[in-house]
Amino acid sequence: MDKQENNPKYEALVKTARELFWRHGFKRVSVQEICMKAEVSKMTFYKFFSNKTELAKQVFSNEVDDSIVKFNRLIDEDISVHDKIEKMILLKAEGTNNISKEFMQDFYMGSEPELKTFVEAKTREAWTGMLHSWKKAQQAGIFRDDLKPEFLIQVSFGLVELMKDEKLAGLFSSPQELILEFTKFIAYGITPRT
Amino acid sequence: MDKQENNPKYEALVKTARELFWRHGFKRVSVQEICMKAEVSKMTFYKFFSNKTELAKQVFSNEVDDSIVKFNRLIDEDISVHDKIEKMILLKAEGTNNISKEFMQDFYMGSEPELKTFVEAKTREAWTGMLHSWKKAQQAGIFRDDLKPEFLIQVSFGLVELMKDEKLAGLFSSPQELILEFTKFIAYGITPRT
DNA sequence: TGTTTATTATACGAATTTCATAAAAAATAA
DNA sequence: TTATTTTTTATGAAATTCGTATAATAAACA
């Protein structure tokens, strides 16, 4: 239970667990399997984590924290609004792949109320963090003052889903081109009126 | 155990099992889950299949048969060698996605010797079928006489793996372009010398 | 070298899951 | 209606998983 984050065994466990959870969700993966793939004995596993749920929390927590860091860094980055939007879409596209359906389904639907509350709390935390960055950028005049951040975030999420539409993708010769088109579309709609 | 292939329940079970096996392999999926997702009771499951292994055999068998049919149809198709090669690569690329790693790993490595022998036998069967089609095409002068079919098949398999290489893909603006380049490369190397 | 510490291998009981079947209840078709 | 199929529920046996205990092994250190 000691938080020896720099311990190689600890890191191996978290890394392996992330991969397995990502692929197969929570309940399909056993601690035995995690230990085997991470080449760590089961005893040392229980030195670090009191149970599988605790490990899952850690994995999810890391994932969310990474997203927040990336998002904040993106907001603060000294690039054009156009590039910012493009990167935001890419970040979200990457994020949806990171946190897999299988994983979230087990967290929410699974018979583990403890995990559900944890995920909800962590998600709230992530949102407030991102909104803070957003408002800072808004004050700096990067986005329109009257634009609700929740709106753009939701729209950009929706666009990621749209990008998976085959018919739409068929109109462009490459994904990059499609993203470029999206980016233009958004950027010209939200830049502050000078 | 009756082979009521047209039975909707039967088809639902096979279809659902294929999806689940494909995603999570063999041992991670329980018959309960298959029944639930297929909306078929467990009792009717055991009317059709004596156990999970038997269902897996059926799923694998179907998959291989489909591949054989597609391959043979491709060989007999009245199109240029160039198009034939291109389609062959696409077919294989599609096939690798169809038969997932998870699935095969459980079949081979899993503690189910029965499945292993079945897969091996079925694979042999598939190979002889494909080689037969090949030799027919060779006699028709579509490919070089001295070209071993095993060689090209193996090479095309290897190319599919190569296509997943990011560095290589980065050289082309789209996957289609990459495939085109590959196709040219192979076609000019194996056409009969006139 | 010997001693301490960390890690693994093995075994274990308890709890849970899964398997495959058997019965009765419900739905469907004739 | 009667006969057949399908579902529901219950069940016991087998297997899996969990979390811990203990002994063996390896690494660290003095």
Side-chain angles (χ1 to χ4, degrees):
Chain A
M1 286 243 242
D2 304 321
K3 275 195 180 177
Q4 297 180 248
E5 307 245 349
N6 297 4
N7 191 306
K9 308 273 176 183
Y10 177 93
E11 285 177 5
L13 285 171
V14 171
K15 184 168 176 284
T16 308
R18 205 212 81 106
E19 288 167 6
L20 287 172
F21 286 154
W22 177 76
R23 276 197 125 62
H24 304 294
F26 181 71
K27 61 181 183 300
R28 286 186 150 93
V29 178
S30 70
V31 322
Q32 276 114 322
E33 189 183 6
I34 297 172
C35 292
M36 293 245 299
K37 296 246 167 81
E39 292 184 333
V40 174
S41 80
K42 197 159 58 161
M43 286 311 303
T44 47
F45 175 96
Y46 284 104
K47 287 249 159 61
F48 290 123
F49 310 97
S50 58
N51 52 39
K52 196 171 71 169
T53 302
E54 221 57 34
L55 170 59
K57 283 187 192 174
Q58 188 63 247
V59 168
F60 180 75
S61 198
N62 290 346
E63 213 65 32
V64 172
D65 288 343
D66 283 358
S67 289
I68 295 176
V69 168
K70 281 181 188 167
F71 183 85
N72 289 349
R73 196 175 296 155
L74 170 62
I75 290 286
D76 290 337
E77 216 170 330
D78 190 21
I79 55 177
S80 70
V81 174
H82 178 280
D83 290 352
K84 215 165 268 203
I85 300 294
E86 182 174 315
K87 285 198 175 184
M88 199 181 297
I89 292 178
L90 287 174
L91 180 64
K92 177 57 188 172
E94 182 190 307
T96 17
N97 289 347
N98 274 351
I99 296 176
S100 74
K101 264 186 211 163
E102 308 286 347
F103 192 44
M104 292 308 288
Q105 217 156 359
D106 274 9
F107 267 52
Y108 280 127
M109 317 281 281
S111 54
E112 304 256 353
E114 189 187 346
L115 279 182
K116 191 181 172 188
T117 53
F118 177 83
V119 166
E120 284 170 349
K122 191 76 193 176
T123 303
R124 248 194 312 279
E125 179 194 326
W127 264 89
T128 57
M130 290 198 291
L131 289 182
H132 179 261
S133 291
W134 178 276
K135 272 157 192 162
K136 225 177 60 184
Q138 212 166 30
Q139 283 166 5
I142 297 177
F143 304 120
R144 265 191 3 240
D145 284 348
D146 58 342
L147 186 72
K148 286 195 198 303
E150 294 87 350
F151 174 76
L152 182 60
I153 290 179
Q154 217 50 50
V155 167
S156 74
F157 287 7
L159 289 182
V160 171
E161 291 305 310
L162 241 179
M163 276 172 49
K164 293 176 184 166
D165 185 55
E166 291 183 8
K167 274 173 265 174
L168 194 62
L171 301 176
F172 301 88
S173 64
S174 72
Q176 284 74 25
E177 205 176 319
L178 175 60
I179 290 173
L180 185 70
E181 207 56 39
F182 267 140
T183 307
K184 279 186 196 165
F185 175 73
I186 297 183
Y188 292 134
I190 68 162
T191 39
R193 304 170 188 187
T194 51
Chain B
M1 286 245 245
D2 304 322
K3 274 196 181 178
Q4 296 179 248
E5 306 246 350
N6 296 6
N7 191 306
K9 308 269 179 186
Y10 177 91
E11 285 177 6
L13 285 172
V14 171
K15 184 168 176 285
T16 309
R18 205 212 81 107
E19 287 168 5
L20 287 171
F21 286 154
W22 177 77
R23 275 199 126 62
H24 303 295
F26 179 72
K27 60 182 183 299
R28 286 186 151 92
V29 178
S30 70
V31 321
Q32 275 115 320
E33 190 182 6
I34 297 171
C35 292
M36 292 244 300
K37 296 246 167 79
E39 290 182 337
V40 174
S41 81
K42 199 159 53 162
M43 286 311 303
T44 45
F45 175 95
Y46 283 105
K47 286 250 158 57
F48 290 124
F49 310 97
S50 57
N51 52 38
K52 196 172 71 169
T53 302
E54 222 58 35
L55 170 59
K57 283 187 191 173
Q58 188 64 249
V59 169
F60 180 75
S61 198
N62 290 346
E63 213 64 33
V64 173
D65 288 345
D66 284 357
S67 289
I68 294 176
V69 168
K70 281 181 188 166
F71 183 84
N72 289 348
R73 197 175 294 153
L74 170 63
I75 290 286
D76 290 337
E77 217 169 330
D78 191 20
I79 54 177
S80 70
V81 174
H82 178 280
D83 290 352
K84 215 165 268 203
I85 300 293
E86 182 173 316
K87 284 199 176 182
M88 198 181 297
I89 292 178
L90 287 174
L91 180 63
K92 176 58 188 172
E94 182 189 308
T96 15
N97 289 347
N98 274 350
I99 296 176
S100 73
K101 265 185 213 165
E102 309 285 347
F103 193 42
M104 292 307 288
Q105 217 157 0
D106 275 10
F107 267 53
Y108 279 129
M109 316 281 281
S111 52
E112 304 256 353
E114 188 187 347
L115 279 181
K116 192 181 171 188
T117 54
F118 176 83
V119 167
E120 284 169 349
K122 192 75 193 176
T123 304
R124 247 194 312 279
E125 179 193 327
W127 266 89
T128 57
M130 289 198 293
L131 289 183
H132 178 261
S133 291
W134 178 276
K135 273 158 191 161
K136 223 176 61 185
Q138 212 168 29
Q139 283 166 6
I142 295 177
F143 303 119
R144 267 195 356 242
D145 284 346
D146 58 342
L147 186 72
K148 286 193 197 305
E150 295 87 351
F151 174 76
L152 182 60
I153 290 179
Q154 216 49 48
V155 168
S156 74
F157 286 8
L159 288 181
V160 171
E161 291 305 312
L162 241 179
M163 276 172 50
K164 293 176 184 166
D165 185 54
E166 291 183 6
K167 274 172 266 175
L168 194 62
L171 300 176
F172 301 89
S173 63
S174 73
Q176 285 74 23
E177 202 177 319
L178 175 60
I179 290 174
L180 185 70
E181 206 55 40
F182 267 140
T183 307
K184 279 187 197 164
F185 173 74
I186 297 183
Y188 293 135
I190 67 161
T191 39
R193 306 171 186 189
T194 50

